[in-house]
Amino acid sequence: MQAKKLNSPIVQVFVNPLTKTWVILTEFRESQDIMLRRTKEFDRSEEFGNIFKSLIPDHHISMRMTNPQFKAHRRLIQDSMTPAFLNEVSAPRIYEAFTSLVGVWTEKARLANGHPFSASDDCFKAALDAIWAVIFPLGPKDSVTNAQRQLLADTTSINSASSTNIDEPVVFPETPIPDAPKSVLTLTESLEHMGTSSQREAMIATALEKAKGRFSSDRKEEHVARCAMDDILRRELAAAKRENREPAYNTRTIFDELFGLLIAGHDTTSTTATWGFKLLSDHQEVQKKLREALRSGFPAAITECRQPTAEEICNTQIPYLDATQEEIIQKSMTSGGLARTAMVDTVLLGHHIPKGTSVLLMGNGPDFIEPPIGKIPEDRRSKSCQEAKGRIGSWDPADSNLFKPERWITKEDGKESFDPTSDPLLTFGLGPRGCFGRRMAHLELKIVLVLLLWNFELQSLPGTLMLFATFEFIIEWSWSLSWKFGIFD
Ligand code: HEM
């Protein structure tokens, strides 16, 4: 707002009388330069780090890169984002959780009789099941989505919506959430919660204890990583052997790094996926094109009248699927801005920035989904920014506000391919402090989009429910019935 009012991509704001002023930058190239190339001048902002400090005090998210612990913490969890771990551990767990969501929505569609119903809460819970199973061993009784599916499968009818108004949403009974996931939901919903939750601590301690037992066994098959926690323990075991000491499993560092993955990866991914459903429901033409791309991308699944497997989803490149996913990530507004603190006295677009100043780098608004504010002379930019000119494409201001996956597609010799560098994107941040879980988020969103669009049609909402504040969808199960009965060939 202030940037537009003053017609300047860089402004300072007084957040409150007791803190220093903040600098807000609304310009992609300069923000990208700060995150990618000026990493000695700008690091994690104190305010951003403080959000997590009360909950996970020993997680690297609130550390500066100059802290010697930062690298050690990153090493502990680094295997969880390798292609092998993502394909062999994460993908099947995520796939299972969202297949359960398909089950829940199939039951809901049966009971709703054409009425709309809210989708965001179910997506939130399935995303919790998914990330939980990737990080900790998840037993069938811990899955919130499975319990909900069972409850609905046992229900024969619901009378919560008016029989005369088909647009009135149906409200479904909710199964009680088991204690451990409930404590996680409570904590993630209130990040300002002080101290630690005893249920969460007990849950992690029990899981660690069980894994410790498996890892001390002589049987090789017990040592295979089944979740991120196993990987961390294996690393600790190896380090202890090297250093000729007892392995230390129950440490604050291990607790916080594990739990940190869960909170950093849950809400963000489910919010982005829910925005995806909303955008696809509002843009029927994109949904139709994407469904057609999926049908031609997974021919074996069509022939065999089944949904694509996790392996097929991981190993198949469908440019329009990648492009839609990138467009959802850009338009989702899951993270509107990235925060950094100046570690030294420096200069930004010709302005002096004293050491300790917090800088907010906007990831939407002008220069993203609106035309840029003014034209910045090249010589006002940093040297590194000038040198990197042209490496990333730029939005066409005429349509930057539209939901248009095609902007991420390039054509060469008639062949379409997905180009992630064709447009600016800051939703995950960038550089060494950018999102650690970006690859897992992409994988999860890909699986969600394929499974949900394969099984359901997200219809347009009636006007009263079209608000951006609500996430309600009419979900029709005709698609799933269609392939089940082989109507499409
Ligand atoms: C759509 C989903 C996601 C979005 C939009 C998102 C966004 C972000 C953003 C904006 C940051 C800060 C980046 C910066 O300051 O430059 C971040 C950091 C982080 N994210 Fe994500 N994230 C997502 C999913 C995940 C997942 C699935 C995980 C792990 C399982 C994860 C783990 C982390 C961690 C550990 C950090 C801290 C990195 C550091 O401090 O160096 N995120 N994420």
Side-chain angles (χ1 to χ4, degrees), residues 251-384:
T251 62
R252 184 80 263 146
T253 302
I254 290 186
F255 272 52
D256 286 357
E257 284 299 334
L258 281 171
F259 196 66
L261 286 179
L262 204 135
I263 42 178
H266 170 219
D267 207 354
T268 45
T269 319
S270 83
T271 303
T272 311
T274 312
W275 270 109
F277 304 148
K278 165 83 182 138
L279 289 163
L280 290 170
S281 135
D282 287 352
H283 296 85
Q284 292 291 320
E285 68 301 343
V286 176
Q287 191 185 149
K288 187 163 172 270
K289 194 168 167 187
L290 178 56
R291 193 172 286 110
E292 279 161 11
L294 298 182
R295 285 169 63 76
S296 30
F298 298 110
I302 292 283
T303 314
E304 292 160 26
C305 290
R306 57 166 174 81
Q307 63 181 28
T309 62
E311 209 181 337
E312 284 169 337
I313 299 173
C314 288
N315 298 329
T316 309
Q317 297 301 320
I318 302 176
Y320 198 70
L321 171 60
D322 292 335
T324 309
Q325 190 178 321
E326 209 72 348
E327 185 69 355
I328 288 171
I329 289 168
Q330 168 62 48
K331 293 290 185 295
S332 69
M333 295 181 262
T334 307
S335 87
L338 295 310
R340 293 289 185 270
T341 294
M343 305 308 290
V344 290
D345 285 350
T346 185
V347 175
L348 249 185
L349 292 177
H351 299 277
H352 174 66
I353 306 289
K355 177 179 175 177
T357 306
S358 294
V359 183
L360 189 62
L361 312 165
M362 296 309 294
N364 60 36
D367 212 23
F368 290 90
I369 53 170
E370 293 171 38
I373 301 175
K375 185 149 175 51
I376 298 169
E378 274 304 291
D379 60 6
R380 292 259 304 274
R381 297 184 179 278
S382 72
K383 196 165 166 281
S384 50

Side-chain angles (χ1 to χ4, degrees), residues 204-221:
I204 301 180
T206 314
L208 280 167
E209 206 47 45
K210 278 192 193 151
K212 195 168 127 186
R214 283 202 298 109
F215 275 86
S216 358
S217 143
D218 289 336
R219 289 160 31 134
K220 274 250 162 62
E221 64 274 21

Side-chain angles (χ1 to χ4, degrees), residues 67-84:
N67 181 340
Q69 288 300 312
F70 178 78
K71 274 196 179 139
H73 281 235
R74 270 295 183 90
R75 260 199 306 277
L76 203 60
I77 52 169
Q78 72 186 22
D79 287 350
S80 59
M81 296 298 151
T82 57

Side-chain angles (χ1 to χ4, degrees), residues 20 24 65 96 119 127 137 147-149 185 190 229 270 284 292-293 317 333 337 360 368 370 378 410 417 425 472 480:
K20 289 187 195 163
I24 300 185
M65 283 189 292
E96 207 179 318
Q148 181 67 10
R149 178 168 59 169
L185 285 175
S190 67
M229 190 184 75
S270 83
Q284 292 291 320
E292 279 161 11
Q317 297 301 320
M333 295 181 262
L360 189 62
F368 290 90
E370 293 171 38
E378 274 304 291
T410 50
S417 52
L425 181 79
E472 316 256 3
S480 67

Side-chain angles (χ1 to χ4, degrees), residues 388-412:
K389 190 177 180 190
R391 285 193 204 153
I392 297 270
S394 56
W395 294 109
D396 177 354
D399 68 5
S400 59
N401 61 332
L402 302 181
F403 181 63
K404 190 179 161 198
E406 286 76 10
R407 70 176 91 249
W408 302 95
I409 303 249
T410 50
K411 250 190 190 169
E412 215 179 306

